[in-house]
Each structure stands twice: as structure tokens, then as C-alpha cells.
Amino acid sequence: MKSRIGVLYAMRQEDGRLISDKPSIRHGGVEFWTKLGGDLVIAVGGIGKVNAAMATQALIDVYDPGIVINAGICGCVEPGNVGKVYLVNDLVQHDVDTRVVGDPAGYVSSVRKVWFESTALQRVRKAIAATFPPEEYREASIATGDWFAEAGNRLDWIKETYKPHLIDMEAAAVAQVCYRNEVDFLAVKAVSDTVADGVESEYETGKRTAIHGLTYAVMDIIKHIRQEDKQK
């Protein structure tokens, strides 16, 4: 099994401690940092699905990782979860819509799938469970699209159609690229804000809390994977 770990962020600020210097290289507009003697590669690809997909493919082509981790902050459709860290189990692209030709909502015709999976989820459950108390450790589905979510009719449709707990702008795109390249994938997200009627914006304050928890989660996952690989 390939031992190199790739971690992909949308924004540099989402990484709390791993990036502290200039990038090792830039490829296709994507910044890369190599750490731990080359066993860890961190990429910052930019916000949105196209940036996420492009950065993921570049990460795979240049560094050939055994696992790609999409880490970042996200919104939650239920209040009371700001700062909590989630392992994402199932992922869907809410803005892929070819229902007019008979497809189900979210259907990605190139791979004949609506839902994607975090294929490395089982592998890292222990790492998160050892880091966070049970009330803060959860798994959830996520809906991804090129839309900074806000309450309203569009969000209501997404919730009714896909029933996600989380919403973001990159994760499912990364999952699709990994699926097509047959690379193990995991999404780990921390909630920065609530997307619901009657809830004032929490993003500016919530993202700091979210990034703090996300950083420790990612570091523990990396440690767990490296220890597991050494034992094989």
C-alpha cells in the first residue's frame, strides 16, 4: 500500500499548524507543501468544486498518494454544532441536476453515481474517537455545491432531497476525482456556522473554533495512518 498521505484544503487559513513556510512547489496554480520526509503532502487548491477537482488531480498526478484527505470547515443545517468535527460518510453534489433528461437529482453520469463515499472512513475512526469525547465525535453526510449556503428555498430543497447534515463547496468533488483514480479518500470537516432560518451568521467567529478542532483532528488522523502503515 502506498504510504504517502495527501491533505487538501480549500483555504490556507483552514490549516492551523501544518503550514508555516513557503510552498515547496506550485503546479497548475495549486500550492503544495511536502512534510515528514515526503510522506505528507499538503495542498491548498482554492474554494469551489472546479478548484477542488483540479487540485486533487494535480495532487494525485504529481505525488501519487495512497490516501487523499479533504479537510476544511463547513456549514451545518442544524443549530448547536459550531466547532464540532465530523468524519463525512456519504457525499453528494447538490448542484448537479439533469432531471430534465430523466436522471435522479445529483446523478453524475460519468460514473453513474449520486452518492460518493469516504472509502478510508473505517481506517480512521479510532483516531478521531481517541481525540474527541463521544458527544463531539460524529459522522454525517455532506452536500457539496458551488454555493455559499444560506437559508431559503434552495436550502430547503437540498435538505428535503438529500437530507445532509453538513454543506460545503469542495468535498464531493474531491471524492469524485479520487473515485475515478481509485485512490482512498476521506473527508473530515469542522462546523463553522449554522445554515438555518432565524440563525444569525456565525461564520466569522465560528471558523476560528472550527479550525482549532479541525487541526487537531487532521494531525491525529495523519499520526494514526502513519503508525498503521509502519505496522504492516
Side-chain angles (χ1 to χ4, degrees):
M1 179 180 291
K2 303 171 189 174
S3 60
R4 182 171 290 143
I5 302 166
V7 181
L8 175 63
Y9 295 97
M11 303 178 289
R12 185 167 179 172
Q13 65 182 356
E14 289 176 309
D15 166 72
R17 293 176 60 182
L18 294 174
I19 302 174
S20 59
D21 50 7
K22 293 182 179 180
S24 303
I25 67 166
R26 288 182 174 87
H27 178 83
V30 181
E31 296 181 325
F32 293 94
W33 289 258
T34 53
K35 305 286 184 178
L36 303 177
D39 288 345
L40 172 65
V41 179
I42 302 167
V44 175
I47 297 170
K49 288 169 52 182
V50 173
N51 283 328
M54 181 177 177
T56 305
Q57 191 62 59
L59 174 60
I60 293 170
D61 289 345
V62 176
Y63 291 101
D64 194 27
I67 180 173
V68 171
I69 301 170
N70 176 225
I73 57 178
C74 68
C76 184
V77 300
E78 297 177 6
N81 294 296
V82 170
K84 288 188 178 180
V85 177
Y86 288 82
L87 294 180
V88 177
N89 44 32
D90 298 306
L91 310 92
V92 67
Q93 297 178 56
H94 66 74
D95 57 353
V96 173
D97 191 350
T98 53
R99 288 175 294 167
V100 70
V101 296
D103 295 332
Y107 183 71
V108 181
S109 58
S110 58
V111 291
R112 300 181 180 179
K113 290 172 70 72
V114 173
W115 289 93
F116 294 84
E117 303 81 33
S118 277
T119 56
L121 182 58
Q122 180 64 35
R123 190 177 177 189
V124 301
R125 280 189 173 115
K126 291 181 181 179
I128 289 290
T131 304
F132 296 94
E135 65 271 15
E136 294 184 20
Y137 164 61
R138 297 179 65 181
E139 296 178 14
S141 61
I142 196 166
T144 296
D146 283 322
W147 175 59
F148 196 101
E150 60 182 350
N153 292 337
R154 183 171 180 176
L155 180 64
D156 291 342
W157 179 84
I158 292 169
K159 290 167 61 177
E160 180 180 352
T161 304
Y162 302 111
K163 298 177 174 55
H165 187 66
L166 309 173
I167 191 161
D168 86 328
M169 299 179 68
E170 294 87 24
V174 180
Q176 180 180 334
V177 175
C178 288
Y179 177 82
R180 295 194 70 168
N181 284 273
E182 298 182 344
V183 174
D184 226 4
F185 166 76
L186 174 74
V188 55
K189 297 287 179 173
V191 176
S192 59
D193 59 304
T194 304
V195 187
D197 289 324
V199 178
E200 294 185 5
S201 176
E202 305 161 304
Y203 178 75
E204 289 302 324
T205 56
K207 69 181 181 182
R208 290 193 290 270
T209 303
I211 290 169
H212 178 78
L214 178 70
T215 299
Y216 282 99
V218 171
M219 292 174 68
D220 279 341
I221 289 169
I222 291 169
K223 181 180 178 181
H224 174 77
I225 292 173
R226 295 189 79 213
Q227 289 176 339
E228 185 183 68
D229 286 342
K230 288 179 181 179
Q231 294 170 359
K232 293 180 179 178

